[in-house]
Amino acid sequence: MSSSDKPEFVERDVKDKVDDKEDNSGFIDKVKGFIHDIGEKIEETIGFGKPTADVAEIHLPCINLEKAEIVVDVLIKNPNPVPIPLVDIDYLIESDGRKLLSGLIPDAGTIHAHGEETVKIPVTLIYDDIKSTYDDIKPGSIIPYRLKVDLIVDVPVFGRLTLPLEKTGEIPIPYKPDIDMEKIHFERFSWEETIAVLHLKLENMNDFDLGLNALDYEVWLSEVSIGSAELEKSAKIGKNGISYIEIPISFRPKDFGSALWDMIRGKGTGYSMKGHINVDTPFGAMKLPISKEGGTTRLKKNREDGGDDDDDDDED
């Protein structure tokens, strides 16, 4: 055999190895295809499928000056003939790309076979934490938020799946209204019992409307409590707006001593007021505190003929 025949022998050997690799590769592909077909047959026969999820609703059951409690209702549908475990719930709330809150809820329950479940995700935003982290978020403002939720489920045939959800909206950072007692208007004067009307000015310090429904209060004149009450009162206070309300009250002037004479002479007297207002807002009902310390007010009396003295600067 000549030397020129050797390359021909080597080439034939390499070709055989290449053919073996192609045969093995084809065999593996056939096995993979067979397993895939079997999986699809099982899925079709038994009825396995991927679950779906959607944010059904977001509730704000409680909003006050300290916190906002948020409940996210997530509807999960399981098309499979067996229950599937909800392994983890991973959530994140952010505003303008900045994290406000995140958390993980492990072992969140089970979704029944061929059924659907509404899973509630409770989260609480603490306003002091937010304001201490982001200086530009001010009380009384409304901030946008983005809610991201990853539901991790374990499904036969498919294994562990992540169902991502996302929802956007707005949430308020409430601020208490400012209150002033502009005057006390007497309806009937007696040393034993005097009936009067408190003229109050309420200023809404928020970027959203307040619909006043009711209020409770206690009032002190010269450090003497002149009464407290709970009243149903309706008024609308527009965002960053002012509303005036009148509150009837009765008290015993003889308990005031010299402070009453100061008011009668037009000198005014110190007062304090504390209480709460129940309001409706675009974000739900709120109970907000009202308070005034170290204010000064004066008396305004009816004329003897029953008409009102409309000149606020004209005092008897």
Side-chain angles (χ1 to χ4, degrees), residues 36-37 44 56 75 84 123 126 140 146-147 152 194-195 222 234 252 282 299 308:
H36 178 74
D37 291 341
E44 291 174 3
L75 180 63
I84 59 173
V123 297
I126 306 298
R146 182 181 300 274
L147 169 69
I152 302 172
T194 290
I195 298 176
S222 295
S234 296
R252 292 158 52 94
L299 298 182
D308 289 344

Side-chain angles (χ1 to χ4, degrees), residues 179-243:
I179 187 168
D180 276 313
M181 187 191 305
E182 295 203 318
K183 61 190 175 185
I184 303 176
H185 199 146
F186 285 105
E187 299 293 333
R188 189 181 72 198
F189 185 87
S190 166
W191 289 107
E192 292 297 329
E193 183 182 32
T194 290
I195 298 176
V197 176
L198 307 181
H199 290 251
L200 304 180
K201 180 177 79 172
L202 277 174
E203 184 176 359
N204 181 8
M205 312 296 285
N206 297 281
D207 291 336
F208 51 90
D209 296 343
L210 301 179
L212 178 64
N213 293 322
L215 74 160
D216 63 81
Y217 65 91
E218 185 170 6
V219 181
W220 293 263
L221 291 179
S222 295
E223 299 182 354
V224 178
S225 176
I226 65 172
S228 61
E230 296 183 7
L231 298 174
E232 292 185 0
K233 203 77 176 178
S234 296
K236 181 180 178 181
I237 315 174
K239 62 178 182 179
N240 300 306
I242 295 174
S243 183

Side-chain angles (χ1 to χ4, degrees), residues 35-51 79-81 114 155-159 161:
I35 293 174
H36 178 74
D37 291 341
I38 291 295
E40 287 187 343
K41 296 288 186 182
I42 294 174
E43 181 182 336
E44 291 174 3
T45 303
I46 303 179
F48 283 108
K50 294 181 180 179
N80 298 289
H114 292 305
V155 184
V157 177
F158 296 98
L161 299 176

Side-chain angles (χ1 to χ4, degrees), residues 99-174:
K99 185 178 79 170
L100 301 180
L101 181 70
S102 63
L104 178 70
I105 303 175
D107 302 326
T110 301
I111 313 302
H112 296 301
H114 292 305
E116 58 183 45
E117 298 285 339
T118 299
V119 177
K120 295 184 179 296
I121 306 174
V123 297
T124 301
L125 286 177
I126 306 298
Y127 292 133
D128 281 347
D129 294 343
I130 297 173
K131 290 181 284 188
S132 63
T133 305
Y134 308 112
D135 294 336
D136 59 321
I137 297 180
K138 303 297 182 183
S141 61
I142 300 173
I143 61 173
Y145 74 84
R146 182 181 300 274
L147 169 69
K148 297 180 179 180
V149 178
D150 285 340
L151 304 174
I152 302 172
V153 295
D154 196 350
V155 184
V157 177
F158 296 98
R160 287 201 172 189
L161 299 176
T162 297
L163 309 178
L165 303 173
E166 192 169 301
K167 195 80 170 180
T168 60
E170 292 182 325
I171 194 166
I173 312 293

